[in-house]
Amino acid sequence: MSTSADTLPSPLPGAPVAAPAAGSSAPSRSPSRSSSRKRLVFFAGAGLVILAGAAWLGQWWLVGRYFESTDDAYLQADAVTVAPKISGYVAEVYVADNQTVKVGDPLLRLDDGTYRAALDQAKATVAAREADLTRAQAELRQRQASLEQSQAQQRVARLNAQHAADEVRRYRPLAASGAETSERLANLVNTSDQAQATLAANTAGVAAAQAQLAVTAAQIDQARAQLDAAQASTRQSNLDLQDTIVRAAQPGRVGDRSVRVGQYVQPGTRAMTVVPVQNVYLVANFKETQIGHMRANQPVSLHVDALPGTELHGVVDSFAPGTGSQFALLPPENATGNFTKIVQRVPVRIRIDTGPATRSLLLPGLSVTAEVDTRGARDDEQKLQEENSAAAAASHARPGTGPRADSLAEPRQVTDSAETRHG
């Protein structure tokens, strides 16, 4: 029995043979095309990664490495604690919590009855001292008149004494010659003695009047001093009366109000705090390894945690005169015991440049992330190196520097020679 293959007709001589189908060679070429495409994608991706890395590295080298940032930064304000200068009971409190006040606005009032009475008493004392001064001045005028009277009597007594002495001198030769009686001469001598005694008494009266005048002048000075003291006491009483009303020393908002009506307060008792929220600034605590290129007036980018998505701007205002540990209650003492180096932080004050609407949202104590652009100090490093190189050269050029270095090197040479001999 013949198969089906035997029944197939054989091709005729010279007839064209059918070509194989086009899809018969595709399986052999497909793997090579797929691998080429994968290699192309891989190299393209690697090139993009290398370009991106190079771009990032270039950006960091040119720009990024000059930006220093920290999140150890907080808003601050120079708040003022309000406290009375005098003691007393609180009669009125004029402000409420979180109220905005201006300079000179009354905050609270103490009972002023005692201080008004003290002022009235001081005024009465001033009036009494003024009267004492007026009386002393009147006594001075009286003493001056008494002195002038005593001086006039002294002049009269001196003239009488001079006249009596002249009479005695004139009659003494006459009495000796018998032209006048001895009784006449005795009367003249008696009159001269009385005139001298009267002159001495009037002279003593002048001295007493002058002493009384000096005493009265001292009394006037004392009365003036007492008047000045009374006037000073009056001014102090007036100040105490004015201090019964406590006023705001700076503009801001009232916070931490603890005073109440009827409360007895002493001088210095904390009543409330006035916070100048309009003058808020930032204190950022940068590491000591970050401030090498920081300078004043460098720009700063700020991100407040309370204002997400909002970027604020400011400038570096100033640097603290020491690290934070230097102003701690218990400064570290690194010269005793074991030492562990800790990176220190330096407080940097930053001035915030923003409008009133944004500033009204900034409160002391809020957390901030600060980033300082230090590119303005890129050339300072080279200047510092040149400065220190010049200082080192000048130090080596001083007289005696070379011999000292040679003397310091001699022991090493001796040691080397000893080591050579020992070897």
Side-chain angles (χ1 to χ4, degrees), residues 290 299 398:
Q290 295 179 294
R398 290 176 190 160

Side-chain angles (χ1 to χ4, degrees), residues 157-162 164-165 190-200:
R158 183 178 292 108
L159 292 175
N160 292 333
Q162 183 67 32
N190 185 32
T191 301
S192 177
D193 292 340
Q194 291 180 357
Q196 289 294 333
T198 302
L199 176 61

Side-chain angles (χ1 to χ4, degrees), residues 145-155 202-209:
S146 298
L147 176 61
E148 292 175 357
Q149 182 181 5
S150 298
Q151 290 174 345
Q153 292 174 353
Q154 183 186 28
R155 288 193 295 272
N202 289 332
T203 302
V206 170

Side-chain angles (χ1 to χ4, degrees), residues 17-345:
V17 180
S24 60
S25 62
S28 61
R29 292 194 302 267
S30 176
S32 61
R33 290 184 178 179
S34 176
S35 60
S36 299
R37 187 179 297 109
K38 289 180 180 180
R39 284 195 300 270
L40 180 61
V41 172
F42 172 77
F43 287 118
L48 291 177
V49 170
I50 294 174
L51 290 177
W56 178 87
L57 183 61
Q59 194 274 341
W60 177 85
W61 180 258
L62 297 177
V63 179
R65 68 191 181 112
Y66 296 104
F67 283 81
E68 301 292 349
S69 63
T70 183
D71 57 359
D72 187 2
Y74 303 92
L75 296 178
Q76 294 187 11
D78 297 330
V80 173
T81 300
V82 177
K85 297 180 180 179
I86 58 176
S87 60
Y89 289 94
V90 178
E92 291 182 85
V93 179
Y94 297 113
V95 294
D97 292 330
N98 307 324
Q99 179 177 335
T100 301
V101 296
K102 301 185 298 297
V103 176
D105 287 351
L107 304 177
L108 59 94
R109 181 178 68 84
L110 304 181
D111 184 19
D112 59 357
T114 304
Y115 299 100
R116 288 188 180 277
L119 179 60
D120 294 338
Q121 182 180 2
K123 289 181 178 179
T125 303
V126 169
R129 296 295 177 262
E130 288 177 346
D132 292 342
L133 179 60
T134 301
R135 183 185 61 188
Q137 290 173 344
E139 289 181 358
L140 179 63
R141 289 191 293 270
Q142 181 182 3
R143 298 297 182 187
Q144 289 176 344
S146 298
L147 176 61
E148 292 175 357
Q149 182 181 5
S150 298
Q151 290 174 345
Q153 292 174 353
Q154 183 186 28
R155 288 193 295 272
V156 172
R158 183 178 292 108
L159 292 175
N160 292 333
Q162 183 67 32
H163 177 70
D166 292 342
E167 288 292 318
V168 170
R169 285 194 299 271
R170 188 164 62 88
Y171 277 92
R172 191 179 297 278
L174 296 177
S177 63
E180 287 289 341
T181 62
S182 58
E183 290 81 1
R184 176 66 175 168
L185 180 60
N187 290 334
L188 291 176
V189 170
N190 185 32
T191 301
S192 177
D193 292 340
Q194 291 180 357
Q196 289 294 333
T198 302
L199 176 61
N202 289 332
T203 302
V206 170
Q210 290 176 342
Q212 289 293 333
L213 188 64
V215 170
T216 305
Q219 291 176 349
I220 290 178
D221 294 338
Q222 182 180 5
R224 284 199 179 99
Q226 292 176 347
L227 177 60
D228 293 340
Q231 290 175 344
S233 179
T234 302
R235 290 192 296 269
Q236 182 61 50
S237 299
N238 190 25
L239 290 175
D240 291 341
L241 182 60
Q242 294 177 0
D243 290 338
T244 56
I245 298 179
V246 181
R247 302 180 181 274
Q250 67 177 3
R253 290 169 60 183
V254 175
D256 192 22
R257 185 176 66 92
S258 60
V259 68
R260 298 294 182 268
V261 175
Q263 178 181 351
Y264 184 80
V265 294
Q266 294 282 357
T269 302
R270 182 171 183 170
M272 63 188 71
T273 303
V274 177
V275 183
V277 293
Q278 70 282 355
N279 296 328
V280 172
Y281 58 90
L282 179 68
V283 174
N285 301 304
F286 285 93
K287 296 180 182 179
E288 57 184 325
T289 56
Q290 295 179 294
I291 65 171
H293 293 104
M294 284 190 190
R295 303 291 184 270
N297 299 322
Q298 287 179 343
V300 186
S301 299
L302 308 175
H303 297 275
V304 184
D305 292 356
L307 303 175
T310 302
E311 182 178 357
L312 306 182
H313 299 279
V315 295
V316 175
D317 185 71
S318 60
F319 297 84
T323 61
S325 61
Q326 295 298 313
F327 303 100
L329 182 61
L330 297 175
E333 180 55 61
N334 297 327
T336 60
N338 296 328
F339 171 71
T340 301
K341 183 175 181 179
I342 299 175
V343 178
Q344 302 295 313
R345 290 184 178 268

Side-chain angles (χ1 to χ4, degrees), residues 365-383:
L366 294 182
S367 301
V368 180
T369 300
E371 187 178 48
V372 180
D373 184 359
T374 65
R375 286 179 292 178
R378 284 179 293 187
D379 298 334
D380 289 355
E381 185 174 357
Q382 181 65 26
K383 294 179 180 178

